[in-house]
């Protein structure tokens, strides 16, 4: 058969497929259904003409935006290009299973296998699908209604092909296309387990649910605003298809004080002996801090303001002077 006649027959049959494409239900039989589980490992299967490929989707599809299908095309099919078609279906009855061969379904997309030795096809499954078309890949223009699988049927698209083509098989692998998102799990612990109000903002947007917050990958900003606690600000990064955990302990607005001194020094706060090197909450206003070491005494005063943290550090230095 001449290439011109081959092209005419394939084009005519393909036109018929597309003409009956939208909203068209048909009953059909396949030779067998070949299951393929969707995973990053890219398990491969072999599919023949008159077979169907059943791509099983994972239970957790939080980050699944589409499917990338890679097909190795036999020489004879590449030579007789457009002689084999693949069809995508919706609303299949009965539910697809490798033990069933008779189906009724809505045909939503049809195309033919091109004259090359490999083909990459993308199936968008959500609005987050962002891959653009290119000369090296085809993108299905219609999004299938997905329950737990995608059903793709292969069939001969023209007559008069050699017997070798009718027996050809395709090696097919598939992997998930992940959305450019990740999750944040936020834990906020109020001071002393108090039940006081605070507001959490992520990228200036108020949030109320702190678990499984879906965000785009990259850097984000978090702020906690309250009249009862100190304001907190954090910067964090979200990685693709991963969960970031962030824990924040809220502090009261009362000022805090930490006194650092050698263990041999006695420390008094407002004339009461205290243990150094421990952070403590103090009242706002003036305070007296006294250090006693041996016969020496050093007194410092502090004016504490709400929302501030203070550290008093006693440094004892010995200076050496040399004279000639």
């Amino acid at each position: 058969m001449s290439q011109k006649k081959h092209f005419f027959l394939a084009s005519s049959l393909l036109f018929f497929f597309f003409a009956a494409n939208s909203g068209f239900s048909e009953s059909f039989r396949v030779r067998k259904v070949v299951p393929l589980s969707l995973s990053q490992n890219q398990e491969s299967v072999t599919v023949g003409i008159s077979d169907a490929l059943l791509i099983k989707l994972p239970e957790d599809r939080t980050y699944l935006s589409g499917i990338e299908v890679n097909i190795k095309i036999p020489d004879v099919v590449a030579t007789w290009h457009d002689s084999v078609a693949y069809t995508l279906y919706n609303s299949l009855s009965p539910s697809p299973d490798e033990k069933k061969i008779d189906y009724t379904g809505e045909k939503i997309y049809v195309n033919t296998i091109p004259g090359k030795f490999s083909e990459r096809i993308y199936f968008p499954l959500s609005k987050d699908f962002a891959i653009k078309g290119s000369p090296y890949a085809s993108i299905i223009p219609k999004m299938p209604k997905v329950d737990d699988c995608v059903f793709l049927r292969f069939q001969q698209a023209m007559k008069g092909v050699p017997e070798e083509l009718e027996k050809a098989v395709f090696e097919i692998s598939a992997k998930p296309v992940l959305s450019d998102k990740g999750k944040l799990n936020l834990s906020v612990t109020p001071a002393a387990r108090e039940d006081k109000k605070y507001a959490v903002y992520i990228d200036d947007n108020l949030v109320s649910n702190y678990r499984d917050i879906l965000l785009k990958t990259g850097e984000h900003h978090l702020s906690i605003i309250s009249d009862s606690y100190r304001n907190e600000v954090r910067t964090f990064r979200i990685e693709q298809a991963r969960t970031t955990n962030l824990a924040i302990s809220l502090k009261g607005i009362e000022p805090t004080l930490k006194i650092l001194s050698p263990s041999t020094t006695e420390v008094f706060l407002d004339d009461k002996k205290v243990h150094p090197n421990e952070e403590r909450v103090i009242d706002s206003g003036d305070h007296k801090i006294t250090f006693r070491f041996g016969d020496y005494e050093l007194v410092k005063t502090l004016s504490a303001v709400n929302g501030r943290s203070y550290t008093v550090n006693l440094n004892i230095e010995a200076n050496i002077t040399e004279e000639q």
Side-chain angles (χ1 to χ4, degrees):
M1 181 184 296
S2 68
Q3 286 291 329
K4 184 175 181 180
K5 190 174 182 181
H6 165 208
F7 176 79
F8 174 77
L9 289 174
S11 300
S12 299
L13 187 55
L14 186 59
F15 173 79
F16 170 76
F17 282 155
F18 277 108
N21 198 12
S22 178
F24 176 73
S25 293
E26 66 173 0
S27 297
F28 59 91
R29 169 174 288 186
V30 297
R31 186 179 61 176
K32 64 178 179 179
V33 175
V34 181
L36 176 61
S37 296
L38 189 64
S39 70
Q40 292 288 1
N41 295 330
Q42 291 200 71
E43 171 191 353
S44 63
V45 294
T46 55
V47 178
I49 299 173
S50 300
D51 292 344
L53 178 68
L54 180 64
I55 304 176
K56 296 183 176 182
L57 306 182
E59 290 185 10
D60 184 1
R61 298 195 285 275
T62 302
Y63 305 114
L64 184 64
S65 70
I67 304 173
E68 178 187 308
V69 173
N70 290 284
I71 304 175
K72 290 185 178 180
I73 302 172
D75 293 354
V76 64
V77 178
T79 301
W80 288 76
H81 60 85
D82 300 321
S83 61
V84 178
Y86 59 89
T87 308
L88 180 64
Y89 289 91
N90 266 345
S91 306
L92 282 168
S93 179
S95 179
D97 187 290
E98 49 262 46
K99 297 179 181 179
K100 302 169 186 175
I101 60 173
D102 293 304
Y103 296 94
T104 298
E106 178 190 354
K107 182 190 298 182
I108 64 169
Y109 182 76
V110 181
N111 207 344
T112 56
I113 301 295
K116 52 185 180 180
F117 298 110
S118 65
E119 174 72 339
R120 181 177 300 163
I121 308 171
Y122 287 104
F123 296 80
L125 298 181
S126 80
K127 295 180 180 179
D128 291 330
F129 186 83
I131 295 177
K132 305 299 181 182
S134 74
Y136 308 101
S138 300
I139 297 180
I140 302 298
K142 292 188 177 182
M143 189 184 305
K145 299 174 184 177
V146 173
D147 291 323
D148 57 1
C149 65
V150 171
F151 189 91
L152 200 62
R153 176 190 177 196
F154 291 82
Q155 60 192 121
Q156 189 175 313
M158 63 172 293
K159 295 182 178 180
V161 298
E163 183 179 352
E164 181 186 2
L165 185 140
E166 296 177 357
K167 297 179 180 180
V169 295
F170 304 93
E171 184 178 336
I172 302 178
S173 62
K175 69 176 183 179
V177 177
L178 302 179
S179 62
D180 196 25
K181 292 183 178 181
K183 286 182 180 179
L184 172 68
N185 278 338
L186 175 64
S187 172
V188 180
T189 305
R193 300 290 178 179
E194 297 170 328
D195 188 17
K196 296 180 180 179
K197 292 183 179 180
Y198 56 88
V200 178
Y201 294 85
I202 296 178
D203 300 329
D204 297 325
N205 296 313
L206 181 66
V207 296
S208 56
N209 178 28
Y210 302 156
R211 297 197 63 81
D212 295 332
I213 305 171
L214 202 59
L215 298 169
K216 289 186 177 181
T217 58
E219 188 175 274
H220 295 269
H221 303 280
L222 179 144
S223 58
I224 300 179
I225 309 299
S226 175
D227 292 331
S228 304
Y229 303 105
R230 298 189 187 193
N231 295 339
E232 301 286 345
V233 178
R234 300 286 190 280
T235 298
F236 62 94
R237 291 193 64 82
I238 291 294
E239 297 183 11
Q240 186 183 36
R242 293 189 178 182
T243 298
T244 298
N245 296 307
L246 180 61
I248 299 178
S249 297
L250 300 181
K251 298 179 181 179
I253 60 173
E254 301 85 358
T256 62
L257 172 64
K258 189 173 186 179
I259 303 172
L260 304 176
S261 69
S263 59
T264 55
T265 303
E266 292 183 304
V267 179
F268 297 84
L269 176 61
D270 298 329
D271 297 325
K272 293 182 180 179
K273 190 173 183 179
V274 295
H275 294 288
N277 308 317
E278 294 179 358
E279 188 175 54
R280 55 180 45 81
V281 176
I282 59 177
D283 295 329
S284 59
D286 295 335
H287 296 272
K288 182 177 71 172
I289 304 167
T290 304
F291 298 96
R292 292 177 185 169
F293 39 95
D295 296 331
Y296 296 94
E297 183 175 280
L298 176 65
V299 178
K300 291 288 184 180
T301 57
L302 169 68
S303 295
V305 178
N306 280 341
R308 302 289 180 88
S309 296
Y310 300 90
T311 300
V312 179
N313 190 359
L314 175 64
N315 291 319
I316 301 176
E317 296 183 355
N319 296 320
I320 301 175
T321 301
E322 180 179 346
E323 295 182 1
Q324 188 172 0

